[in-house]
C-alpha cells in the first residue's frame, strides 16, 4: 500500500519558517536594493554638480577695464564707418546761431528747432538785435519749441551778456560759456566742438543711454559720464564720437525698442536682445536716412545721404 501525503495528525499545516540560509538571502536582497538606491542618488548628485560646474565654467567673466576700453574704441571705429557723415543736427551759420539753436533744443527735437530758427534769425540776426527784442514777440516765434517763456528769458539774457561782456561775440572758452543764462556744460561743449573746433563730449539723453547700454559706465550724472568717457578716448575723438553715438541712438538704438536685429555693432553690444532681434522687423524700426526718411536738418551738409527736413508747416 502506498504511503499517504496528508499531514500527520496533531501537527500544524502552516509553512515552515525560513531557516538561516533564507534570512541571509533576505538581508542580501535588502542590502543590494539600498546600495542601488545610494548609487542612483550619488550619480544624480554628481550630475547636478557637473551641470552646475559647466554653468559656472560657461558663465561670462567680468570684463576687465582694458577689455572694455578696447571694445569701446572698436565701437567708435565701426560707427565711423556706418556714419561717415555724422554732424550736428542743428542748422547754423555761425557760433551765435548754434548757441541759440542749442538752447532752444531743450525738451524738443532738433527738427522743430530747425523749423523755427529761420524766422527767429531773420528777426534777430545778432546778439544786439536779440537783446533788444520785445519778449512777447520772441515768445510767439519760438512757441513751437515748447517752454517758450523760459527760453525767451534765457535768450534775452545770454544776448545781453554777449553784447555787454563779450563785444557781441560768442566766447570760445567753456568757463565763459557756462556763465551765460541758459547755457550749461552740454550746450557749451556743442558750441565749442562744432563752432570753434575745441574737442568736447556732449552728453545728451541719447549719449547717456547708449554708453550705459554698452557698459562703458553705469553713471547717471552727465558730468560724471563725460569724465568717464573722456578717459576712454583720446581728446581728438571727443566731438565726432559724440555725433556718432547720438546718430546711432536716434537711428537704430532707440530708447524703447532698439533695432537690435539691424544693428551693425550688435556683436560688440552686451545689451543685445533688449530690442527687436528679427532682422526684418528690426529694419522697420530704423529712422531718418537709415529708414529712408528725411533727416532733422533743413540745410544738411553736402555729404548727407538722406533727404532734407521739411520747413515748418510743410510736414
Amino acid at each position: 500500500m502506498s504511503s499517504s501525503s496528508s499531514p500527520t495528525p496533531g501537527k500544524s499545516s502552516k509553512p515552515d519558517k525560513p531557516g538561516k540560509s533564507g534570512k541571509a538571502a533576505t538581508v542580501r536582497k535588502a542590502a543590494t536594493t539600498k546600495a542601488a538606491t545610494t548609487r542612483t542618488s550619488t550619480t544624480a548628485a554628481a550630475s547636478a554638480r557637473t551641470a552646475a560646474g559647466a554653468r559656472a565654467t560657461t558663465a561670462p567673466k567680468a570684463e576687465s577695464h582694458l577689455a572694455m576700453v578696447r571694445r569701446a574704441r572698436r565701437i567708435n571705429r565701426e560707427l565711423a564707418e556706418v556714419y561717415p557723415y555724422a554732424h550736428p543736427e542743428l542748422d547754423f551759420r555761425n557760433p551765435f546761431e548754434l548757441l541759440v539753436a542749442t538752447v532752444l533744443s531743450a525738451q524738443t527735437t532738433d527738427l522743430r528747432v530747425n523749423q523755427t530758427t529761420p524766422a527767429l534769425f531773420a528777426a534777430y540776426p545778432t546778439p544786439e538785435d536779440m537783446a533788444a527784442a520785445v519778449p512777447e514777440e520772441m515768445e510767439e516765434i519760438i512757441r513751437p519749441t515748447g517752454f517758450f517763456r523760459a527760453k525767451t528769458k534765457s535768450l534775452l539774457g545770454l544776448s545781453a551778456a554777449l553784447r555787454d561782456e563779450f563785444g557781441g561775440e560768442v566766447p570760445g572758452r567753456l568757463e565763459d560759456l557756462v556763465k551765460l543764462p541758459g547755457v550749461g556744460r552740454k550746450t557749451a561743449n556743442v558750441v565749442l566742438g562744432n563752432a570753434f573746433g575745441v574737442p568736447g563730449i556732449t552728453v545728451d539723453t541719447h549719449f547717456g543711454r547708449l554708453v550705459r547700454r554698452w557698459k562703458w559706465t553705469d553713471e547717471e550724472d552727465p558730468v560724471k559720464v563725460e569724465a568717464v568717457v573722456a578717459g576712454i578716448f583720446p581728446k581728438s575723438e571727443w566731438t565726432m564720437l559724440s555725433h556718432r553715438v547720438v546718430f546711432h541712438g536716434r537711428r537704430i538704438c532707440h530708447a524703447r525698442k532698439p533695432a537690435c536685429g539691424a544693428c551693425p555693432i550688435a556683436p560688440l553690444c552686451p545689451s543685445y536682445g533688449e530690442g527687436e532681434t528679427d532682422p526684418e522687423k528690426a529694419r522697420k524700426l530704423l529712422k531718418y536716412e537709415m529708414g529712408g526718411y528725411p533727416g532733422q536738418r533743413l540745410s544738411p551738409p553736402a555729404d548727407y545721404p538722406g533727404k532734407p527736413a521739411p520747413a515748418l508747416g510743410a510736414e
Side-chain angles (χ1 to χ4, degrees):
M1 188 171 71
S2 62
S3 61
S4 173
S5 61
S6 59
T8 307
K11 290 189 177 181
S12 170
S13 61
K14 294 180 179 179
D16 294 337
K17 293 181 180 180
K20 291 183 179 180
S21 59
K23 289 182 179 179
T26 301
V27 171
R28 284 196 299 273
K29 183 177 181 181
T32 301
T33 301
K34 183 177 181 181
T37 302
T38 301
R39 283 195 300 272
T40 301
S41 300
T42 302
T43 302
S47 298
R49 286 194 297 272
T50 301
R55 286 194 298 270
T57 301
T58 58
K61 296 181 180 179
E63 186 178 43
S64 69
H65 179 73
L66 178 59
M68 182 275 290
V69 169
R70 288 174 175 169
R71 180 171 58 83
R73 292 183 176 184
R74 184 176 172 189
I75 286 175
N76 182 43
R77 290 194 299 272
E78 297 204 8
L79 290 181
E81 294 181 4
V82 177
Y83 308 110
Y85 51 87
H87 58 269
E89 294 194 85
L90 290 169
D91 287 327
F92 68 98
R93 295 169 296 185
N94 54 59
F96 175 63
E97 290 190 356
L98 178 57
L99 176 61
V100 170
T102 307
V103 170
L104 289 176
S105 69
Q107 305 299 315
T108 191
T109 64
D110 286 356
L111 171 58
R112 186 60 71 198
V113 173
N114 292 336
Q115 292 172 326
T116 303
T117 50
L120 181 67
F121 295 136
Y124 317 111
T126 68
E128 291 82 0
D129 295 323
M130 190 169 287
V134 176
E136 292 76 16
E137 294 177 0
M138 183 184 290
E139 288 175 2
E140 195 58 34
I141 294 174
I142 69 172
R143 182 184 291 269
T145 68
F147 302 94
F148 56 90
R149 290 191 179 89
K151 290 179 180 179
T152 293
K153 184 178 179 180
S154 293
L155 294 183
L156 290 173
L158 73 83
S159 297
L162 293 177
R163 179 195 62 194
D164 300 339
E165 300 175 29
F166 299 99
E169 299 292 333
V170 176
R173 299 195 311 163
L174 179 68
E175 54 267 37
D176 293 328
L177 285 168
V178 295
K179 293 177 183 177
L180 299 173
V183 178
R185 191 177 183 90
K186 183 191 82 170
T187 297
N189 278 332
V190 169
V191 173
L192 290 173
N194 297 286
F196 293 99
V198 177
I201 295 172
T202 303
V203 184
D204 68 355
T205 55
H206 301 287
F207 191 95
R209 181 179 75 251
L210 266 62
V211 299
R212 285 187 288 272
R213 275 184 178 163
W214 294 334
K215 310 301 182 187
W216 295 1
T217 180
D218 57 4
E219 295 287 356
E220 296 281 346
D221 179 77
V223 175
K224 292 181 179 179
V225 171
E226 180 186 340
V228 171
V229 177
I232 297 174
F233 296 92
K235 198 171 183 178
S236 59
E237 288 290 316
W238 290 356
T239 299
M240 287 310 301
L241 169 72
S242 300
H243 292 323
R244 293 165 191 152
V245 174
V246 172
F247 256 57
H248 193 65
R250 285 175 169 167
R251 286 150 177 78
I252 296 178
C253 195
H254 312 134
R256 294 184 180 178
K257 198 169 185 181
C260 294
C263 181
I265 59 167
L268 299 171
C269 181
S271 299
Y272 174 80
E274 285 187 8
E276 180 58 66
T277 57
D278 180 83
E280 289 300 322
K281 293 179 180 178
R283 272 193 285 273
K284 295 178 180 178
L285 299 174
L286 301 179
K287 293 184 178 179
Y288 305 120
E289 76 282 358
M290 304 296 284
Y293 304 110
Q296 300 209 83
R297 294 189 68 166
L298 277 67
S299 301
D303 63 345
Y304 179 64
K307 306 172 185 176
L312 190 64
E315 293 110 315

